[in-house]
Amino acid sequence: MLTIIAGIAGLALLYYGAEFLVKGGSSIALKLKISPLVIGLTLVAYATSAPELVVSVDAALKGMGDVSIGNVVGSNICNIALILGICAIITPLKVNKKLLQFDIFLMLAASLALVGCFYLNSGVNRWQGAILLTGSIAYTVWSIYASRKENAENCDEVPSKVYPLFWAVLLVAVGLAALIGGAKLFVYAAIELAKLCKVSEAVIGLTVVAVGTSLPELATSVVAAIRKEQDIAIGNVIGSNIFNILAILGIAPLIKPIETAGISYVDMALMIFTGALLYPFMRTGYKINRLEGAILLIIYIGYTTYLIMA
């Protein structure tokens, strides 16, 4: 009973946390003359990826490499196939052309870099982590610089209400706290139920923990899509995927090198496949329509079924 209550409370915190984060992030974008797309790719994406960071670092410290890397790989698959799938089904997502010029290619390059690390030493060591983290810092600085330089294009999307900077930052902080708390409660409930079903550690990392720590992204992207803040909805997903690999798997190995045996090339291949599939979906008509959203969702359901059956 306590597990069910924790799960419901977690979902409530996720919803309201996402509302606050989207409202605050949109206002900050206008106040600082940074485009909503870049806010989605950086501030919102990094904030909603905080649960993945906490879980992966904690798992690395405990020597649970399968959970640490499985959480990132599973979250990246979940972000594209589940989150964008659901968002596109709710409302077709208009794609900002700038995403197709650089960000989506960086996401794919980061995914390939992770596969390279996995191939070389079945995990991520300290020097590889340092390289990944450096890439994350460089990407963030470049994104903000480029956006401010082109501030003439920054006001395409205007939220219904713009808050003063102090209140906008406060909304983001409260929203983030609610998202992290909600995700933690929900993950606790989900893991307890998974243990009762005798699910393996690697599968828990790839599914239960991955989906649980992706709930902030799911809640934020769905709320942003409904509010027509579509740059934040899509930018949040792509930015989170970049952050998950470059920052999370950059920071965690610096604390303790990560080794894994339970993550397979099937998992890695699907992460790259869903990222690559996203490009033609975004390129055709610069929109992810409901049919494409349904295809993504079916892929995720099929992958989850495969993991459980295997």
Side-chain angles (χ1 to χ4, degrees):
M1 186 64 182
L2 182 61
T3 301
I4 296 173
I5 293 173
I8 294 172
L11 287 174
L13 284 172
L14 284 166
Y15 172 77
Y16 287 106
E19 281 276 349
F20 293 159
L21 191 59
V22 171
K23 290 177 180 178
S26 299
S27 294
I28 289 173
L30 288 180
K31 292 291 184 180
L32 299 184
K33 296 184 179 180
I34 298 173
S35 71
L37 175 63
V38 171
I39 286 292
L41 285 166
T42 55
L43 174 65
V44 175
Y46 297 176
T48 55
S49 287
E52 282 97 331
L53 176 61
V54 173
V55 169
S56 287
V57 170
D58 183 60
L61 287 172
K62 293 177 180 176
M64 300 167 69
D66 286 347
V67 171
S68 187
I69 293 184
N71 173 38
V72 168
V73 174
S75 290
N76 280 18
I77 295 170
C78 175
N79 285 347
I80 293 175
L82 178 64
I83 294 176
L84 284 185
I86 290 175
C87 287
I89 290 172
I90 293 173
T91 178
L93 299 173
K94 183 180 178 182
V95 176
N96 190 312
K97 294 180 182 179
K98 291 181 181 179
L99 286 173
L100 297 169
Q101 295 172 356
F102 178 74
D103 303 284
I104 192 168
F105 294 112
L106 178 61
M107 181 185 74
L108 290 170
S111 299
L112 289 170
L114 177 57
V115 173
C117 294
F118 184 76
Y119 175 77
L120 289 173
N121 57 338
S122 298
V124 184
N125 59 33
R126 282 195 172 92
W127 71 266
Q128 291 168 336
I131 292 173
L132 293 175
L133 183 58
T134 301
S136 174
I137 295 170
Y139 169 68
T140 304
V141 172
W142 176 84
S143 295
I144 295 173
Y145 170 77
S147 178
R148 289 181 65 87
K149 189 176 180 181
E150 299 176 8
N151 58 39
E153 301 175 17
N154 289 347
C155 298
D156 292 340
E157 296 288 340
V158 181
S160 56
K161 183 174 182 179
V162 180
Y163 295 89
L165 188 58
F166 171 79
W167 289 109
V169 172
L170 184 61
L171 278 173
V172 168
V174 172
L176 176 58
L179 285 169
I180 294 175
K184 189 170 183 178
L185 282 173
F186 191 86
V187 169
Y188 160 77
I191 288 178
E192 289 302 309
L193 290 173
K195 286 179 179 178
L196 289 175
C197 298
K198 301 186 185 301
V199 177
S200 74
E201 185 178 290
V203 172
I204 288 176
L206 285 163
T207 56
V208 177
V209 177
V211 173
T213 55
S214 289
L215 284 173
E217 285 95 332
L218 175 59
T220 302
S221 288
V222 168
V223 169
I226 292 172
R227 289 180 170 275
K228 304 301 181 183
E229 293 282 354
Q230 297 186 352
D231 278 349
I232 290 181
I234 300 178
N236 174 37
V237 166
I238 292 179
S240 290
N241 279 18
I242 293 171
F243 181 86
N244 286 348
I245 296 175
L246 296 184
I248 293 177
L249 292 183
I251 294 171
L254 293 179
I255 300 171
K256 184 176 181 180
I258 302 172
E259 294 182 2
T260 178
I263 309 302
S264 72
Y265 283 107
V266 172
D267 307 312
M268 295 285 187
L270 187 65
M271 176 179 66
I272 294 172
F273 173 74
T274 53
L277 182 63
L278 192 58
Y279 181 83
F281 282 3
M282 294 169 68
R283 185 70 179 78
T284 52
Y286 297 105
K287 182 180 291 185
I288 303 175
N289 59 40
R290 286 191 171 92
L291 175 60
E292 292 165 338
I295 292 172
L296 290 173
L297 188 57
I298 289 169
I299 289 173
Y300 189 77
I301 293 170
Y303 171 63
T304 304
T305 303
Y306 156 77
L307 286 176
I308 295 170
M309 295 297 289

